[in-house]
Amino acid sequence: MEAFYIKGGKRLVGELEIGSAKNACLPILAGALMCDEDLNIAKCSYFTDIEIMINILESLGCETKKEENNLYINSKNASCHIIKEEYTKKVRSSIFMLGSLLTKFKKALVAYPGGCNIGTRPIDLHLKGLRTLGVKIDEKHGFIDCDGSNMKAGFVHLDFPSVGATENLMMACVKLKGKSVIYNAAKEPEIIDLQNFINSMGGKISGAGTSTITIIGVDHLHSTNYTPISDRIVAGTYLIACAMTGGHIKLKNTIPEHNLAVITKLKQSGCDVDLFENEIEIKSSGKLKSCAIETQPYPGFPTDLQNQMLALQTISKGTGIIVENLFETRFKIYGELTKMGADITIRDRMALIKGVDKLYGATVTASDLRGGAALVIAGLSASGYTTVEDIYHIDRGYKNMENDLNILGAEIKRIEI
Ligand code: EPZ
């Protein structure tokens, strides 16, 4: 098994370019199935989740070819509408394929996605929305069996602005004759990116980024060369890492407005942050103040940066509070941070964090993607050495995180244990 071995106490200093967003690339790859012509996804970040999604497309009969960061896809010969459990248990976003499979084949047979360590991850909103559009859905033997032969354009109101359900429904409506509308849609930047990707193929979607998305059905989607947006969660993770180590970094190829929630909290914590057109510069004295955080759908504070801010609050003066509104078990790492000397009390969806002077290196175990990233940045700031185990979780959403951090002056290496 691989682990990260981290020598703590090094300030992060320097410049780093941020790559394309995992949570933009995943729905875009799902959407690629709907087009029968050559597609190029430029600057594609090959996180393990992306690699699995590419394998899913190949299992359906799509042709793919990687040339450095260019990913070529042609789905003309795709003929299979089934996604097996071996894939859905590895990457939850395989559930996004329901919409594109229905647009492509008017049917879909997808194994139930596993939950994961941050919560049960239900898919009721996805299925309710598809049923509203006339999809006949049977859930049996662990599979979701969809018959879209009678699908019609219509309007769907989501009980909750679910990112995945919004993306699934957008893709299900792309070729439905007439006008479809999604109300109470999620407003994440990755939703806008999916709209822009589909429109670059000739789709007619508008309103992404607001809570009402309109899709006018089209007959044909054509070739495109598309570059997904920058990863706001990777950027936010490194901003928080810099804050914890008292560093000074500049992140390039970012979209600062996508990170306003975390930038506001870092300023409240005592950091200086300057924004440029597509760069974010942060300076930290390492002397941090506690703050209050409540996770919300975008543009609220992102749940995917909650664990990283939990780590930062462990060494922030005062008592911080974090309320996690999106996922019911997203404080799993508090036990691991406690091993490093943190003083955290968890009550249901609330964490109370009493700041300590410093954390101490320890051997800790990642149990999910963003929690693992939070343990790494805690190790960067701790005194002594930290080993983070089960780093395969981290590789799902950070490509060679150790390389990025070493570019910024950290001392972290990937070891076999
Ligand atoms: C997307 O997950 C992201 N993943 C998650 O990032 C992110 O945490 C989440 O959105 C929230 O921003 C991708 O984009 C691949 P949701 P998704 O549906 O779509 C409830 C990461 O670390 N819900 O917006 O699964 C759900 O339980 C990952 O990169 C239902 O109740 O999230 C949760 O409480 C983790 N029924 C809330 O909605 C449903 O049918 C938000 O979930 C669907 C969701």
Side-chain angles (χ1 to χ4, degrees), residues 22-23 26 92-93 96 118 121-126 160-165 167 188 303-304 326-327 330 369-370:
K22 166 177 88 78
N23 292 349
L26 289 169
R92 191 190 133 67
S93 36
F96 300 163
I118 60 174
R121 312 295 295 274
I123 59 168
D124 56 311
L125 300 177
H126 297 245
F160 182 87
S162 152
V163 173
E167 292 165 341
E188 273 69 3
T303 176
D304 293 349
L326 278 291
F327 293 108
R330 206 164 198 180
L369 162 56
R370 306 301 177 185

